[in-house]
Amino acid sequence: MVGYHRGTEELRERAVQTLRMHGGALQNHELAAIALREGWPVHHEKMWGTHGLLNTLREEGRVVKVARGRYALIDSPEVRNGGWSLARKRILRTTKGTVANSGRTVARHLKIKHLKAVDLLRALDLLADRQGYCCAQTKVPFDESNPDLMASLDRIDSDGHYDDGSFDDGTNNLQLVTHWYNMAKGTRRDSQMLQLLRIHTISWP
């Protein structure tokens, strides 16, 4: 790669300390902006300089790529929780979009879905913590860097609403699962989905 810059050990240590000062994780463009502002001796065109530093730190086992363009220190919370700080915002945005579009007719009629949560972001954090940042059904750890293993908000009863039980008349209908599980589940019940998974596991050569 043109401009690939591995940097000196001193410069890589500076990158590590900068990550630590920002909660242990940053997007590459965020680190590049800091490097440019502070005058680090790296090639900044298209952020190749800091990208090279981060890739070298990955090779050394000091950082992990937790999502597209996002890197975290190996001992940071984001590595332990699969990039949850990004996942929670993504899920909040997509859920609101899904609810807003429900009931519309596009190529097919979308089911009407309501959002019944006093604070959905807090509800997501509580679910993630309760589940140990793993899929509620398969126990596979979430991984924001892998599209199939990203956290996905699932309605336990597909005919129900996005209800976290925070209203007096509400009952929790939410769980976090991997994106793959959610897509495979479709409108099935979890019991049906788990039975299918067991059949496939038994049949595996």
Side-chain angles (χ1 to χ4, degrees):
M1 178 187 292
V2 178
Y4 188 88
H5 186 92
R6 300 177 69 87
T8 62
E9 173 57 33
E10 181 180 356
L11 193 55
R12 294 198 295 277
E13 184 59 32
R14 189 171 181 179
V16 168
Q17 293 306 317
T18 300
L19 286 168
R20 203 171 297 285
M21 288 169 56
H22 291 80
L26 284 170
Q27 294 288 135
N28 178 41
H29 71 84
E30 293 173 328
L31 184 62
I34 292 170
L36 183 61
R37 186 169 63 249
E38 296 181 356
W40 295 14
V42 295
H43 175 52
H44 296 287
E45 186 180 350
K46 293 187 178 179
M47 300 176 291
W48 283 336
T50 48
H51 186 258
L53 289 177
L54 291 166
N55 271 338
T56 303
L57 290 170
R58 283 180 71 190
E59 293 169 6
E60 295 174 348
R62 298 164 74 182
V63 304
V64 174
K65 189 174 183 179
V66 293
R68 184 176 181 181
R70 188 170 183 83
Y71 299 80
L73 295 174
I74 194 70
D75 59 351
S76 69
E78 283 209 31
V79 171
R80 294 193 296 272
N81 64 32
W84 178 247
S85 66
L86 289 182
R88 64 199 292 270
K89 296 174 184 176
R90 172 180 54 75
I91 293 171
L92 180 66
R93 183 176 64 252
T94 55
T95 301
K96 287 183 175 180
T98 298
V99 171
N101 288 323
S102 68
R104 293 176 54 195
T105 300
V106 193
R108 56 191 174 86
H109 187 75
L110 302 178
K111 287 191 291 186
I112 296 175
K113 311 176 191 76
H114 295 300
L115 177 58
K116 300 173 68 177
V118 172
D119 185 342
L120 181 58
L121 204 54
R122 181 173 181 276
L124 291 173
D125 286 337
L126 289 173
L127 277 174
D129 183 66
R130 191 180 306 135
Q131 295 178 200
Y133 303 95
C134 295
C135 176
Q137 297 300 324
T138 65
K139 310 308 177 189
V140 171
F142 296 133
D143 182 352
E144 193 69 7
S145 68
N146 184 328
D148 287 328
L149 303 183
M150 287 180 171
S152 179
L153 186 61
D154 175 48
R155 288 168 296 134
I156 298 170
D157 176 0
S158 297
D159 291 326
H161 299 293
Y162 288 98
D163 187 347
D164 70 347
S166 57
F167 289 99
D168 291 339
D169 62 343
T171 301
N172 181 56
N173 190 41
L174 303 179
Q175 62 181 351
L176 290 167
V177 295
T178 62
H179 176 73
W180 177 88
Y181 180 91
N182 208 351
M183 293 299 98
K185 176 185 174 182
T187 58
R188 299 181 184 89
R189 295 190 301 274
D190 286 311
S191 58
Q192 294 173 307
M193 185 61 187
L194 293 175
Q195 183 179 20
L196 285 170
L197 286 174
R198 280 193 290 271
I199 291 171
H200 280 78
T201 301
I202 294 170
S203 302
W204 187 260

